[in-house]
Amino acid sequence: MYCLTCWGKRRAATPEESDDCRVFRHGCPAEKKSEGLHSRVSDMKGATEVTRRRVQNGSQSASDKMAEPAQWGRAWEVDWFSLLSVVALLCSAPFIVFFFVMACDQFQCSLTRPLLELYSGETTLLAIWARVPFATCSAAKIYAAWVAFQAVLYTCLPDVLHKVLPGYVGGVQEGARTPAGLINKYQINGLQCWLITHALWLANARYFLWFPPTVIFDNWIPLMWCANALGYAVATFAFVKAHLFPTNPQDCKFTGNVLYDYMMGIEFNPRVGRWFDLKLFFNGRPGIVAWTLINLSYAAKQQELYGHVSNSMLLVNLLQGIYVLDFFWNETWYLKTIDICHDHFGWYLGWGDCVWLPYLYTLQGLYLVYHPVQLSAAQAAAVLLLGLAGYYVFRAANHQKDVFRRSDGARAIWGRPPSFVECSYRSQDGGAHRSKLLTSGFWGLARHFNYTGDLMGSLAYCAACGSTHLLPYFYVVYMSVLLVHRCVRDEHRCAGKYGAGWKRYTDAVPYRLVPGVF
Ligand code: NDP
């Protein structure tokens, strides 16, 4: 039996350690039922300290095992397959973005027409390229002003919303423990930045008229080149910084393969100064704040072109708006998700946040500018219902896990005390820790039901665009690949981290996304 584990490196558990991995049904096991939360917690602390002492003073072979590198974040060593995947992604991702945006601009959002025309000789790559707008001075100015404005809001405006909004958690918050055992502090002010940005956007559209609300759509391709320039610059900066002045050297991972390190990142939570966290900033601000602004710009373009905004455009704006607002309302929770806890910051996140996210997550709105689909009342209601149901599942599942972890299993889920699997793991510094895996509520239906909700919402955005073109469905296809890959990646990590505890958990909850199917 395996129990107390190094992350990713299993070892046989001692008989005492084997006891650490137990399935708890609806609360604590019988022998602990009479004890309160506090005694359970102090019990756990005591147990952790005893175990830590045992590990630290352990036999030679135990300390030898501790010296072995623990598995966290991305791989330590690069095999040929990983390297080829990295090179393929590095080469294809910018091209995919370009292809989709160009297909809308030149081929009315048809994905097949450019290929067929190229095949039949009706057009050539050079002819397509000649029609692509290049970066302009005004696009560069707009983009620079946009990023600088977000950076100023992020760094210079400490959060005040958490003082006035009941239930909102903002201000200085702690992130998850890094593999080296550090706990970073973050200035959480995303909701405030989002509100200020959108209030200014609406005030401009209504009163100031400094720029037209269609400005993003009107400069979409020139802005894409600017976003690419920033994406590559950020990734390069992160790579150089990791070599010359890393923020937390203990949390760096070098594989020795330059391409892999550049792409997947070396530093875990790179910072400039004390507060400017590259990962939190780039994912949230130029990326996700922009998402809703881009959609608003598309709606304004529809209004300008057709004199009205279609119900499908309203649905896309509404459903994606809820998703984005939810992200900022729960920004503190986001500090504990895989992106922040386990992914290193390199091209994958840096370029992805600057280019992939704003350009491909907004394809539905872009499509609707070219094809203003008007849904029947029944179709619109079905899309709305699917989108809201998906959002509910996504949010409720994430909330259940969050509440469960924060209350250490003390809060009821669906009106009953939660069931869970308790297990132990060892961090890279050799410390022994305990953790609990929830098996109640949505987490009893499937191991990643939060992803299932996300996929239902994704399908709703796409379905709002009707069924005549493939392009708007890219999002749900991409999210399915991303989230299934995430399931596999996360489960591989958790299996290494929790060992036999994870096996008990997967026995208790056998399906990943859809109960009875997968
Ligand atoms: P999760 O929030 O599901 O976090 C996974 C981690 O939670 C695991 O590594 C494990 O961490 C812990 N965990 C797993 N199972 C349990 C359990 N049963 N009980 C308690 N803890 C458990 O994954 P993500 O961070 O990937 O996703 C967060 C949300 O963000 C999801 O809803 C996802 O849909 C969404 N998302 C959206 C994306 C987008 O582009 N729109 C991209 C990625 C995610 P530990 O080591 O602490 O045990």
Side-chain angles (χ1 to χ4, degrees):
M1 172 170 187
Y2 297 97
C3 184
L4 190 72
T5 59
C6 220
W7 291 19
K9 201 79 192 170
R10 285 177 169 203
R11 68 177 174 79
T14 64
E16 310 103 273
E17 288 164 0
S18 302
D19 279 339
D20 289 345
C21 292
R22 284 172 290 192
V23 181
F24 287 60
R25 286 273 158 222
H26 303 304
C28 338
E31 71 272 25
K32 290 204 169 189
K33 246 183 189 147
S34 58
E35 298 168 14
L37 171 67
H38 289 299
S39 59
R40 281 214 313 274
V41 170
S42 55
D43 230 30
M44 276 172 53
K45 279 186 188 148
T48 305
E49 270 154 27
V50 170
T51 323
R52 192 195 297 268
R53 245 179 281 128
R54 191 169 59 228
V55 170
Q56 281 166 352
N57 303 331
S59 64
Q60 183 59 42
S61 66
S63 38
D64 281 347
K65 283 183 192 306
M66 267 197 302
E68 288 175 33
Q71 274 299 311
W72 45 268
R74 58 160 175 74
W76 282 100
E77 281 157 17
V78 192
D79 52 47
W80 275 104
F81 179 74
S82 307
L83 188 61
L84 280 180
S85 315
V86 162
V87 173
L89 205 61
L90 205 59
C91 299
S92 64
F95 174 75
I96 292 172
V97 175
F98 173 78
F99 181 71
F100 277 93
V101 175
M102 177 281 298
C104 279
D105 188 47
Q106 299 187 20
F107 296 90
Q108 291 286 306
C109 295
S110 168
L111 291 180
T112 46
R113 248 184 68 204
L115 301 176
L116 291 175
E117 287 192 15
L118 279 171
Y119 181 71
S120 65
E122 255 178 89
T123 191
T124 61
L125 286 176
L126 274 179
I128 290 176
W129 182 248
R131 292 196 296 266
V132 173
F134 203 64
T136 59
C137 219
S138 66
K141 281 185 199 157
I142 294 169
Y143 196 73
W146 159 248
V147 177
F149 179 59
Q150 289 305 314
V152 167
L153 288 183
Y154 175 61
T155 40
C156 306
L157 226 62
D159 189 68
V160 291
L161 283 185
H162 69 282
K163 297 182 181 159
V164 293
L165 276 182
Y168 172 65
V169 184
V172 176
Q173 297 292 331
E174 288 186 344
R177 186 186 300 276
T178 69
L182 302 165
I183 295 187
N184 289 311
K185 285 196 158 70
Y186 294 84
Q187 174 62 255
I188 297 297
N189 62 356
L191 185 63
Q192 181 173 279
C193 298
W194 187 90
L195 287 172
I196 293 174
T197 306
H198 285 71
L200 281 175
W201 176 272
L202 294 176
N204 172 68
R206 190 97 184 82
Y207 305 109
F208 304 141
L209 308 177
W210 293 324
F211 52 84
T214 56
V215 67
I216 302 178
F217 177 88
D218 295 338
N219 291 278
W220 197 222
I221 296 184
L223 284 171
M224 183 179 75
W225 302 121
C226 304
N228 266 286
L230 181 67
Y232 280 97
V234 163
T236 308
F237 174 72
F239 181 78
V240 172
K241 179 182 173 313
H243 282 88
L244 299 183
F245 48 103
T247 307
N248 296 317
Q250 312 94 307
D251 277 330
C252 287
K253 240 185 192 183
F254 294 92
T255 60
N257 186 301
V258 173
L259 261 183
Y260 190 84
D261 285 352
Y262 179 78
M263 161 101 185
M264 299 308 289
I266 298 167
E267 279 199 85
F268 217 45
N269 300 114
R271 287 191 172 193
V272 176
R274 196 162 159 229
W275 289 109
F276 197 88
D277 187 273
L278 293 182
K279 212 193 261 183
L280 191 66
F281 176 74
F282 278 99
N283 186 62
R285 310 315 158 77
I288 299 185
V289 175
W291 189 346
T292 34
L293 282 189
I294 294 165
N295 279 345
L296 285 174
S297 182
Y298 290 152
K301 194 67 194 180
Q302 254 201 358
Q303 176 72 37
E304 183 188 288
L305 289 175
Y306 311 106
H308 73 280
V309 178
S310 67
N311 59 1
S312 49
M313 179 68 94
L314 290 176
L315 278 169
V316 167
N317 268 263
L318 175 76
L319 293 175
Q320 295 189 344
I322 293 173
Y323 191 73
V324 167
L325 252 180
D326 174 276
F327 172 86
F328 286 116
W329 181 270
N330 294 292
E331 200 178 11
T332 302
W333 157 82
Y334 176 73
L335 298 178
K336 307 277 164 80
T337 62
I338 292 175
D339 284 351
I340 296 278
C341 297
H342 303 297
D343 286 344
H344 296 247
F345 188 83
W347 181 88
Y348 175 77
L349 283 182
W351 181 86
D353 292 338
C354 292
V355 184
W356 186 270
L357 192 159
Y359 277 82
L360 295 188
Y361 283 27
T362 58
L363 277 178
Q364 293 82 33
L366 181 64
Y367 172 82
L368 291 172
V369 173
Y370 293 91
H371 303 272
V373 173
Q374 188 66 22
L375 299 169
S376 69
Q379 287 169 332
V383 167
L384 183 64
L385 210 68
L386 178 65
L388 293 180
Y391 171 70
Y392 170 74
V393 171
F394 159 82
R395 174 46 38 219
N398 283 321
H399 184 66
Q400 282 178 353
K401 187 182 78 166
D402 191 38
V403 165
F404 169 75
R405 279 272 168 101
R406 277 193 290 119
S407 71
D408 197 30
R411 294 262 298 272
I413 288 179
W414 287 353
R416 299 172 65 188
S419 61
F420 55 86
V421 173
E422 181 160 19
C423 23
S424 310
Y425 67 96
R426 202 150 58 102
S427 53
Q428 214 205 4
D429 60 3
H433 309 271
R434 289 194 176 210
S435 191
K436 290 174 180 165
L437 297 166
L438 177 64
T439 54
S440 285
F442 287 116
W443 297 85
L445 300 180
R447 299 198 292 272
H448 301 275
F449 218 67
N450 52 345
Y451 291 178
T452 309
D454 212 343
L455 290 176
M456 287 163 67
S458 308
L459 180 62
Y461 314 152
C462 304
C465 301
S467 54
T468 53
H469 282 81
L470 284 173
L471 180 134
Y473 285 83
F474 170 79
Y475 185 71
V476 69
V477 173
Y478 163 72
M479 283 298 283
S480 305
V481 173
L482 176 89
L483 293 179
V484 168
H485 178 251
R486 237 172 214 248
C487 284
V488 175
R489 195 161 62 111
D490 186 46
E491 298 210 349
H492 177 70
R493 190 188 67 81
C494 287
K497 178 177 174 183
Y498 295 124
W502 185 255
K503 172 78 175 66
R504 283 165 188 261
Y505 172 59
T506 53
D507 287 346
V509 187
Y511 292 101
R512 285 183 169 121
L513 287 175
V514 185
V517 180
F518 175 67

